[in-house]
């Protein structure tokens, strides 16, 4: 069976070609066009996607079974990795919400502490003024300090 060279590679191979494509549904639309009609961005997507989002399979039955097994394992590993990524993203979102809530609580408690400090300072100032007033009264009444 002839090995496909780059000049023989098609996104829509003929039944006489030695290979066919197995694609992830997310990129299947690319394989409806000819290579000559694609943009540079799509070419980059193809380069990145080889073995990740699409695979070439030999039309020979033995090779086909072997590659299908590999592709199934890769798809399973990819799905597991995507599931893990979604879980991590969900955990990250939860952590961000918790951090925002903790920040709000910290700001609220800081305001309460500031209010208590202000009240304590005011209370202390009143004590000093009261003590000074008592001292003044004692001096006026007795002529002595407390």
């Amino acid at each position: 069976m002839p090995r496909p060279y780059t000049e023989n590679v098609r996104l829509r191979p003929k039944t006489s070609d030695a290979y066919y494509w197995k694609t992830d549904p997310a990129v299947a639309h690319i394989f409806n066009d000819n290579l000559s009609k694609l943009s540079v961005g799509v070419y980059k997507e193809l380069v990145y996607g080889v073995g990740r989002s699409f695979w070439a399979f030999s039309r020979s039955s033995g090779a086909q079974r072997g590659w299908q097994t590999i592709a199934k394992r890769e798809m399973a590993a990819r799905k597991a990795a995507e599931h893990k990524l979604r879980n991590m993203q969900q955990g990250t979102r939860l952590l961000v919400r918790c951090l925002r809530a903790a920040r709000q609580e910290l700001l609220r408690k800081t305001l309460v502490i500031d209010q208590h400090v202000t009240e304590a300072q005011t209370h202390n100032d009143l004590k000093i003024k009261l003590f000074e007033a008592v001292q003044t009264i004692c001096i006026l009444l007795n002529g002595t300090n407390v």
Side-chain angles (χ1 to χ4, degrees), residues 101-134:
R103 180 176 179 244
Q104 290 298 324
E105 183 65 13
L106 181 62
L107 288 173
R108 188 187 67 73
K109 288 184 177 184
T110 301
L111 288 173
V112 170
I113 290 170
D114 287 346
Q115 289 172 344
H116 287 304
V117 167
T118 301
E119 289 171 6
Q121 287 172 338
T122 302
H123 185 68
N124 194 39
D125 291 344
L126 289 173
K127 279 179 156 178
I128 292 171
K129 288 182 182 180
L130 181 61
F131 179 74
E132 289 171 351
V134 169

Side-chain angles (χ1 to χ4, degrees), residues 85-99:
L85 177 62
R86 281 192 300 276
N87 286 343
M88 291 172 68
Q89 289 170 333
Q90 185 178 10
T92 300
R93 285 190 295 271
L94 179 62
L95 284 173
V96 167
R97 282 195 302 268
C98 288
L99 286 171

Side-chain angles (χ1 to χ4, degrees), residues 29-140:
H29 66 280
I30 295 173
F31 290 80
N32 293 328
D33 291 325
N34 292 319
L35 282 169
S36 61
K37 305 280 187 203
L38 300 178
S39 67
V40 173
V42 176
Y43 274 106
K44 288 179 181 179
E45 191 174 345
L46 286 171
V47 168
Y48 175 78
V50 174
R52 292 184 181 96
S53 57
F54 67 93
W55 298 264
F57 291 99
S58 172
R59 290 199 189 272
S60 70
S61 59
Q64 186 175 349
R65 282 192 302 274
W67 282 109
Q68 285 175 341
T69 302
I70 291 169
K72 284 179 185 176
R73 278 191 233 137
E74 287 179 356
M75 286 292 272
R78 179 179 176 198
K79 287 182 181 185
E82 288 172 349
H83 179 70
K84 193 173 191 177
L85 177 62
R86 281 192 300 276
N87 286 343
M88 291 172 68
Q89 289 170 333
Q90 185 178 10
T92 300
R93 285 190 295 271
L94 179 62
L95 284 173
V96 167
R97 282 195 302 268
C98 288
L99 286 171
R100 285 183 180 150
R103 180 176 179 244
Q104 290 298 324
E105 183 65 13
L106 181 62
L107 288 173
R108 188 187 67 73
K109 288 184 177 184
T110 301
L111 288 173
V112 170
I113 290 170
D114 287 346
Q115 289 172 344
H116 287 304
V117 167
T118 301
E119 289 171 6
Q121 287 172 338
T122 302
H123 185 68
N124 194 39
D125 291 344
L126 289 173
K127 279 179 156 178
I128 292 171
K129 288 182 182 180
L130 181 61
F131 179 74
E132 289 171 351
V134 169
Q135 234 180 358
T136 303
I137 291 172
C138 287
I139 290 171
L140 290 174

